[in-house]
Amino acid sequence: MRIAFYAPLKSATHGTPSGDRRVAGLLMDALALAGHRVQVTSTFRSYDGDGDPGRQRALRAQGEAHAAELAAQWRAAPADERPQLWFTYHLYYKAPDWLGPTVSDALGIPYVIAEASHAAKRAFGPWAIGHEASAAAIGKAALVFCPSRDDIAGLRQLIDERRIVYLPPFLDVALYRAASANRAARRAELAVERDLDPAAPWIAVVAMMRAGDKLASYRTLAAALARLDEQRWRLLVIGDGAMRAEVESMFDERATFLGALGQARIAEVLGACDIYAWPAVNEAYGMALLEAEAAGIPVVSCATRGVPDVVADGRTGVLVPYGDEAAFSAALRKLLVDRERRAALGGEAARFVAAERSLEAASARIKAALAAF
């Protein structure tokens, strides 16, 4: 099919790297692999992070006008140039979809969503406009692909469960498989380049440095690592952002900051490390956790929201109760001193992603679900 692809929070073509941009690109790849022709329809961003009703009304007016323009353009175009399905990625109360439902109705085509969330508590808050619009869009969707079981209960309040398709987070494993295969060489190079002890366990983190939840995760990680003075370890941090100076101040000399890196280099660094550690404060699921597993290293994180959809506790890593800093530190301590356990979890992590969370596996699920259209 010809598919019109849209991401109201952040376009797949957005200039700033993020998990959202990455997932949008992966969904487009999965759709293409399934044989569909996918085109980014609009870069219109509906996001309001401040809870400003005036801004939300303005965005609604802009979105409605843009939707009318798109619908008119396609109605005037030859039938073989019109989209046959609309696919929206990631809508919620802060970033509703003002385009997809209107254009889909105008063209008489299915409206499909990947990653939507609904919480009734937002109905009367400062994002009430976005909440109402997101709920209406979800209600119109022919299908909703859901990457986290944590969101299913909320979606059931709006649509029949038969329209909800579980599609766990996924990625293209090729880069990570290659990085894992070249682990020894990359580790030796990185040790020289950054003056790291190759005999000490290396802990990896990949995260942007911005205020809010990311900064909260960095604080929790720093506090947990401060409890591990008796162990020998090094922390390798990949990421950058406005809060970098504050993040760097949280850690001692055992932390090495690598800045923002391209995807291939991230894979190489992950493949050279021993453990991935991230508290995942208020994260939907965390693509970086999946990337670490694909590179063959175990993950230590918290059992919150969609993280259990990415990390299989006791199989590909260790999940501790959310907010339990002592348990997080204890889980890290155990893995730091147990090389065999790290290797066992890391090997299973790579197998898990390759078999169950690969681009190919996701594409097959999407193809089967869209076959009805």
Side-chain angles (χ1 to χ4, degrees):
M1 289 184 289
R2 295 180 298 278
I3 294 179
F5 188 95
Y6 172 58
L9 176 58
K10 183 176 284 187
S11 171
T13 60
H14 195 279
T16 303
S18 68
D20 257 271
R21 190 184 76 172
R22 179 148 172 72
V23 175
L26 284 165
L27 281 166
M28 292 180 68
D29 290 343
L31 287 164
L33 186 62
H36 303 294
R37 285 177 283 171
V38 189
Q39 182 175 1
V40 173
T41 296
S42 174
T43 59
F44 173 68
R45 196 175 189 209
S46 67
Y47 179 70
D48 168 41
D50 299 323
D52 179 349
R55 174 168 170 74
Q56 290 166 45
R57 284 191 288 271
L59 287 167
R60 176 176 61 192
Q62 293 170 31
E64 289 173 346
H66 186 28
E69 290 173 359
L70 287 172
Q73 289 171 9
W74 272 320
R75 279 199 301 260
D80 61 359
E81 294 180 10
R82 299 173 195 161
Q84 296 167 294
L85 182 142
W86 183 286
F87 195 108
T88 289
Y89 163 62
H90 201 179
L91 65 87
Y92 71 126
Y93 67 96
K94 290 185 180 180
D97 183 4
W98 298 113
L99 308 184
T102 297
V103 176
S104 298
D105 282 348
L107 300 182
I109 61 175
Y111 175 61
V112 174
I113 299 170
E115 193 168 337
S117 60
H118 172 75
K121 65 182 180 181
R122 301 294 180 184
F124 305 104
W127 284 279
I129 293 172
H131 167 83
E132 182 179 349
S134 291
I138 293 167
K140 288 185 176 182
L143 282 180
V144 177
F145 289 103
C146 186
S148 168
R149 293 184 177 93
D150 188 59
D151 288 331
I152 291 177
L155 295 174
R156 283 181 185 143
Q157 298 173 26
L158 302 173
I159 57 175
D160 189 287
E161 190 167 0
R162 287 172 294 184
R163 286 193 274 161
I164 302 171
V165 178
Y166 179 54
L167 179 70
F170 62 93
L171 49 75
D172 187 341
V173 302
L175 280 177
Y176 307 93
R177 183 183 289 127
S180 182
N182 294 319
R183 169 183 166 81
R186 294 289 178 261
R187 187 177 179 93
E189 291 171 3
L190 199 53
V192 172
E193 177 186 326
R194 293 288 179 167
D195 192 25
L196 302 170
D197 179 1
W202 295 359
I203 303 168
V205 165
V206 182
M208 296 300 289
M209 299 173 182
R210 58 175 179 257
D213 296 330
K214 295 294 186 188
L215 196 61
S217 278
Y218 274 115
R219 286 198 186 101
T220 300
L221 177 63
L225 289 173
R227 296 169 176 258
L228 303 176
D229 279 339
E230 73 277 15
Q231 266 94 29
R232 194 173 49 148
W233 52 267
R234 293 298 300 265
L235 177 69
L236 279 68
V237 183
I238 299 172
D240 208 341
M243 306 306 294
R244 179 164 178 169
E246 184 168 346
V247 170
E248 289 188 2
S249 71
M250 298 176 188
F251 300 91
D252 61 23
E253 70 282 353
R254 289 173 290 183
T256 297
F257 293 87
L258 304 179
L261 301 177
Q263 210 59 49
R265 184 58 174 161
I266 290 173
E268 290 178 350
V269 173
L270 287 174
C273 289
D274 301 285
I275 302 170
Y276 189 92
W278 188 243
V281 173
N282 201 35
E283 293 208 14
Y285 41 85
M287 284 299 292
L289 310 182
L290 196 63
E291 291 170 352
E293 292 177 312
I297 62 173
V299 172
V300 176
S301 190
C302 296
T304 180
R305 299 190 64 187
V307 173
D309 293 288
V310 173
V311 181
D313 185 33
R315 178 184 170 194
T316 69
V318 180
L319 298 180
V320 304
Y322 184 62
D324 193 334
E325 182 186 297
F328 191 90
S329 185
L332 270 175
R333 179 181 290 108
K334 288 181 181 178
L335 282 184
L336 285 170
V337 299
D338 193 340
R339 183 191 296 268
E340 290 186 3
R341 179 66 171 155
R342 293 198 307 263
L345 289 172
E348 183 57 26
R351 288 188 289 272
F352 164 73
V353 176
E356 301 179 37
R357 298 291 188 270
S358 68
L359 175 64
E360 292 78 11
S363 182
R365 291 189 186 100
I366 291 172
K367 183 174 184 178
L370 296 185
F373 307 122

